[in-house]
Amino acid sequence: MPSPAPSSAPLPAGQDRAEITSRKVVGLPERLDPADDSLSAWTQRYLDLAVRGVRSAEVTAKISRHLERFGAWISGGLGHDRLSAVTVREVAAWRDHLDAAGNSGRDGTAAPMAAATVNNHLAHLSALFSWITAHAPAGLLRHGDPTKQVPPLPLPAPQPRALAAAQVRTVKNIVDRIEVFHELKGRRHRGTAARSHAHARPLRDRVIVYLLFGTGLRRAEVVGLDLDQLESADPDRLRQTKKARLTGVRGKGRTSRTVFLGRDARQALADYLQSERPGDAAASAVAGTAAVALFLSAASIAARRPDGRLSPRSINTIVGEIGRLHDAQVPEADRKLGTLRPHDARHTFAFALSQASGHNRAELERRLGHANDRYLRLYTNPPEDIAASYIEDL
């Protein structure tokens, strides 16, 4: 049954659509049949009336994907998708299925899904059934909300992921020499002036790594930055000033904060803005699209977005490559990083900030854009070598 169009009735004066939907009081279009017993139909109504236009496009896509997985689980297991047939047993079985085989491995075989991701699926399903409960006719959910009696999976104790001081030093050493690793090598390039691969942007990658380690920005926050958020965007002034900053950095939960830039990030930004970004920005202009993003992908990449903005996944690639270069250069096993992730840089920054600020909670909240006690406590946990030194002589 096709999903009907959302209601177009005007909102009461002074009320915001996001506020109304969050309270689950949006009325259903009058032409809907309230007795319709279809999980897929109710899911589409929920997405149309309470998610699309209220949540970001990225979050909306994730919620839709999670609910689609539950719908497939019900239809595949029961042979139909009647909403009234969804019980606590079915929800619990779906949770356990995701926990055991919710992912696909590289070879296509089933693989476990992380407990936090499973719980995220359950949270989105619970929001759906809370909305349905508020709007469904009496008797449709005869046994009540089936998600309320299904507990989330226990989460493992969060582990500190901050790099040790020696590791940070060698990472920065690699980043300082990053142009060397991008140079074309081989017999036909010997005796010629050093030249980088066409897609390589070593100056951009350098500033991104320094920004992650020096500000604690999340990867989505990095790719979401626009040039006009940088004060100042003039390379010469960046090299001289000590108060350069990024304003209006958009974080989770529609938060916004100001981020100050350290010496390494300022110098690297100045080099990037002066030498690399202008060429990639000009390519966007030729294509008829303004390059407003601070960090741009190489103009030579065929699959480049029209505006040149990087994707969050590209930050993983950049940071992961730095980690691989680091481990190839470092012989000591206890200094190797394994897989380096953007969030490792965030943890490293947060621990250093906690130490420098005397564990000032307000400063951690302000600079990290995170007020959750669980994570703020995690950020103050030291790397293992520092933790071990605390008790060495006790």
Side-chain angles (χ1 to χ4, degrees), residues 53-185:
V54 177
R55 310 297 296 273
S56 69
E58 183 180 2
V59 172
T60 297
K62 182 166 71 169
I63 293 173
S64 301
R65 187 166 60 250
H66 291 181
L67 297 182
E68 181 180 343
R69 286 172 182 163
F70 181 72
W73 169 261
I74 292 297
S75 298
L78 302 182
H80 59 77
D81 76 336
R82 287 199 293 274
L83 180 65
S84 58
V86 179
T87 63
V88 173
R89 184 193 303 273
E90 295 299 332
V91 176
W94 183 58
R95 176 202 61 190
D96 296 341
H97 162 71
L98 294 177
D99 182 37
N103 272 331
S104 295
R106 291 187 177 181
D107 57 356
T109 59
M113 183 177 284
T117 308
V118 174
N119 291 346
N120 197 230
H121 281 67
L122 285 177
H124 292 155
L125 185 66
S126 177
L128 166 66
F129 273 91
S130 294
W131 189 86
I132 292 175
T133 301
H135 297 298
L140 184 56
L141 293 177
R142 187 165 299 179
H143 303 289
D145 185 339
T147 66
K148 298 306 181 188
Q149 299 178 48
V150 180
L153 296 176
L155 295 176
Q159 297 297 315
R161 291 163 56 181
L163 274 61
Q167 292 173 318
V168 174
R169 178 177 177 178
T170 47
V171 165
K172 290 185 176 182
N173 180 266
I174 293 296
V175 175
D176 285 341
R177 299 183 291 121
I178 193 171
E179 292 95 337
V180 175
F181 300 105
H182 285 288
E183 288 176 0
L184 292 168
K185 297 177 176 65

Side-chain angles (χ1 to χ4, degrees), residues 217-232:
L217 289 175
R218 302 176 179 92
R219 61 175 192 165
E221 293 170 344
V222 171
V223 300
L225 292 172
D226 292 338
L227 182 62
D228 62 7
Q229 291 177 256
L230 176 60
E231 298 180 356
S232 152

Side-chain angles (χ1 to χ4, degrees), residues 42-63:
W42 279 96
T43 299
Q44 287 305 313
R45 293 165 192 162
Y46 167 70
L47 292 173
D48 289 341
L49 295 168
V51 179
R52 294 189 181 100
V54 177
R55 310 297 296 273
S56 69
E58 183 180 2
V59 172
T60 297
K62 182 166 71 169
I63 293 173

Side-chain angles (χ1 to χ4, degrees), residues 275-351:
S275 302
E276 275 187 4
R277 190 183 183 279
D280 293 328
S284 294
V286 170
T289 306
V292 298
L294 176 57
F295 299 115
L296 302 174
S297 55
S300 56
I301 298 176
R304 183 182 191 244
R305 296 181 179 184
D307 62 356
R309 191 181 296 273
L310 294 171
S311 68
R313 184 171 295 182
S314 64
I315 304 299
N316 285 29
T317 303
I318 292 168
V319 174
E321 182 61 22
I322 295 297
R324 285 188 289 273
L325 291 172
H326 173 279
D327 286 0
Q329 296 276 309
V330 176
E332 297 90 347
D334 61 348
R335 211 160 175 168
K336 291 185 181 294
L337 302 174
T339 301
L340 182 62
R341 305 175 181 87
H343 226 62
D344 297 337
R346 179 172 168 83
H347 280 244
T348 303
F349 166 78
F351 175 71

Side-chain angles (χ1 to χ4, degrees), residues 348-377:
T348 303
F349 166 78
F351 175 71
L353 177 63
S354 176
Q355 295 289 95
S357 66
H359 310 294
N360 187 316
R361 175 191 168 87
E363 186 65 11
L364 283 169
E365 287 184 10
R366 186 180 302 115
R367 301 304 167 207
L368 295 171
H370 216 320
N372 187 304
D373 278 340
R374 181 172 183 265
Y375 290 100
L376 287 179
R377 286 196 301 270

